Amino acid sequence: MADSTPSIPSRGIPSRQWRGVLHEYADRLDITEATPIVTLGEGGTPLVPAPALSARTGANVYIKFEGMNPTGSFKDRGMTMAISKAVEHGAKAVICASTGNTSASAAAYATHAGITAAVLVPEGKIAMGKLSQAIAHNAELIQVQGNFDDCLDLARDLSANYPVHLVNSVNPDRINGQKTAAYEVVEVLQDAPDFHLLPVGNAGNYTAYSRGYTEELERGVTTKLPRMFGFQAAGSAPIVLGHPVKNPDTIASAIRIGNPASWELALAAREATDGYFGAITDEHILAAHRLLSAEVGIFVEPASAIGVAGLLERSEAGVIPAGATVVITVTGHGLKDPQWALRTADGDDVKPTVVSVDAAEIAGVLGLQKAAS
Ligand SMILES: *Cc1c(COP(=O)(O)O)cnc(C)c1O
């Protein structure tokens, strides 16, 4: 393996650092001796049991916490692969359309590889954290006066006619990198779960997990395919509606997509896994966002909470049997778009309490009684 990564001294303590998905799964991905591995150590994310959600539903619920990737979203799994292959093929520049996280990831991996990333984002529609990342990592950031779907059309057009390599999830390397998340789930659970729930925007990740689980079944490592349940925001639900949505509208900016690039692949995956696509209102997305933060201890951006809202909805509908194993992918970190945590369920601003420098006053606010001495 061509590898210029310096090793980290162990000081005699047996230790092993996770090496990123291309090294960890080299034998199962399309890479060779000639592939320069561009990695920031992505993947190896925690699968966290969620007792608060298990208690609510009677299922055994786990959260695959993809906010723990280097740039804070699952996009890094696909980007390590896409940028490595682009560099292998001699690319000096890559381009992508993005609702934010793809641009943050492309910018970080491209700059690590010493090449240029051009990113097209819808003007004024990108969460501040993601915009900051793309700028910090030196991307050529271009705000387009249009929506995500316009940006993707432009990125495809430019990559077809100019020397820039497309790294959106229509690039098969992206999906192949992303399928490693399913491998990791299987490694921990020692089988596939009964259900896997996740957000759907372009449906690349839905497709990637389905592929990963299918490979695991074919290898004989698992006994079943999970039923793949994907969720779109109600104002941006083309797959659920069965037609493109011209002006998709939701607070969940990462899935504000009206014409998903992997639509056909996702329909095939639903068919193969006895899956489901559902729509969730913004109100229920935000309720699930609060539940994840306040009861599970996991902070996500709004789009990432939709799988939890979907679990509650499907559980209520009687579709999730007691004792079923359920994995929910939460796709991006809460620090990317933190403003939603500062609103109450009624939409009011949360106002933290202010006190003087006085322990007794604080004890009063906290309702603490002085301990008897
Ligand atoms: C990209 C993204 C999605 C949607 O993933 P697709 O593969 O486009 O369906 C969901 N959540 C977050 C946080 C994302 O960045």
Side-chain angles (χ1 to χ4, degrees), residues 330-350:
V330 300
T331 41
H333 204 286
L335 293 174
K336 284 174 172 280
D337 194 5
Q339 57 161 325
W340 302 100
L342 302 176
R343 293 167 26 141
T344 67
D346 302 325
D348 301 325
D349 289 347
V350 173

Side-chain angles (χ1 to χ4, degrees), residues 262-351:
S262 294
W263 196 328
E264 292 303 322
L265 291 171
L267 290 181
R270 174 180 65 182
E271 189 69 27
T273 68
D274 190 18
Y276 172 81
F277 291 111
I280 302 285
T281 62
D282 281 3
E283 188 190 341
H284 285 122
I285 292 173
L286 287 174
H289 181 263
R290 272 189 293 277
L291 182 59
L292 265 173
S293 329
E295 293 188 32
V296 182
I298 291 180
F299 193 29
V300 301
E301 63 171 284
S304 302
I306 201 170
V308 172
L311 168 69
L312 299 179
E313 192 271 331
R314 289 289 82 193
S315 173
E316 204 124 289
V319 176
I320 313 281
T325 301
V326 177
V327 172
I328 306 174
T329 297
V330 300
T331 41
H333 204 286
L335 293 174
K336 284 174 172 280
D337 194 5
Q339 57 161 325
W340 302 100
L342 302 176
R343 293 167 26 141
T344 67
D346 302 325
D348 301 325
D349 289 347
V350 173
K351 296 222 172 47

Side-chain angles (χ1 to χ4, degrees), residues 73-75 99 101-102 130 169 174 178 199-206 254-255 257 301 303-304 331-332:
S73 86
F74 76 85
K75 297 297 198 299
T99 60
N101 283 329
T102 299
K130 305 175 189 179
S169 58
R174 283 277 308 281
Q178 285 170 208
V200 170
N202 271 310
N205 214 27
Y206 183 96
I255 52 173
I257 289 169
E301 63 171 284
S304 302
T331 41

Side-chain angles (χ1 to χ4, degrees), residues 31-315:
I31 55 174
T32 68
E33 293 287 324
T35 312
I37 294 188
V38 182
T39 179
L40 295 168
E42 59 296 315
T45 57
L47 188 68
V48 185
L53 297 175
S54 298
R56 266 187 165 72
T57 57
N60 296 318
V61 183
Y62 297 83
I63 302 291
K64 183 68 169 157
F65 189 10
E66 290 288 276
M68 294 298 282
N69 277 293
T71 76
S73 86
F74 76 85
K75 297 297 198 299
D76 295 343
R77 295 179 182 276
M79 205 55 75
T80 181
M81 185 83 188
I83 299 287
S84 296
K85 295 301 279 186
V87 173
E88 180 181 344
H89 295 127
K92 296 279 180 282
V94 296
I95 191 166
C96 65
S98 179
T99 60
N101 283 329
T102 299
S103 64
S105 187
Y109 283 80
T111 208
H112 194 74
I115 64 172
T116 301
V119 303
L120 308 182
V121 299
E123 184 190 23
K125 295 288 170 63
I126 302 298
M128 177 79 88
K130 305 175 189 179
L131 194 67
S132 313
Q133 287 179 290
I135 292 169
H137 296 312
N138 223 10
E140 297 282 353
L141 180 91
I142 296 171
Q143 303 210 49
V144 176
Q145 292 169 324
N147 61 26
F148 169 83
D149 302 292
D150 299 321
C151 292
L152 183 55
D153 287 344
L154 290 166
R156 288 175 126 145
D157 181 348
L158 286 159
S159 67
N161 295 299
Y162 297 86
V164 284
H165 194 93
L166 187 67
V167 292
N168 276 107
S169 58
V170 291
N171 175 336
D173 295 326
R174 283 277 308 281
I175 304 230
N176 281 326
Q178 285 170 208
K179 73 187 177 187
T180 57
Y183 302 168
E184 291 175 19
V185 170
V186 167
E187 265 179 47
V188 175
L189 298 180
Q190 301 285 299
D191 199 350
D194 297 310
F195 296 85
H196 192 118
L197 282 60
L198 77 170
V200 170
N202 271 310
N205 214 27
Y206 183 96
T207 303
Y209 273 96
S210 306
R211 187 174 299 170
Y213 284 126
T214 301
E215 289 179 10
E216 292 292 57
L217 185 64
E218 284 167 356
R219 284 196 327 141
V221 180
T222 54
T223 62
K224 61 196 165 197
L225 287 177
R227 296 183 67 188
M228 294 292 305
F229 284 17
F231 297 92
Q232 301 192 296
S236 177
I239 299 180
V240 178
L241 295 171
H243 58 77
V245 173
K246 196 121 191 69
N247 295 303
D249 181 30
T250 167
I251 54 107
S253 58
I255 52 173
R256 193 186 288 140
I257 289 169
N259 191 11
S262 294
W263 196 328
E264 292 303 322
L265 291 171
L267 290 181
R270 174 180 65 182
E271 189 69 27
T273 68
D274 190 18
Y276 172 81
F277 291 111
I280 302 285
T281 62
D282 281 3
E283 188 190 341
H284 285 122
I285 292 173
L286 287 174
H289 181 263
R290 272 189 293 277
L291 182 59
L292 265 173
S293 329
E295 293 188 32
V296 182
I298 291 180
F299 193 29
V300 301
E301 63 171 284
S304 302
I306 201 170
V308 172
L311 168 69
L312 299 179
E313 192 271 331
R314 289 289 82 193
S315 173

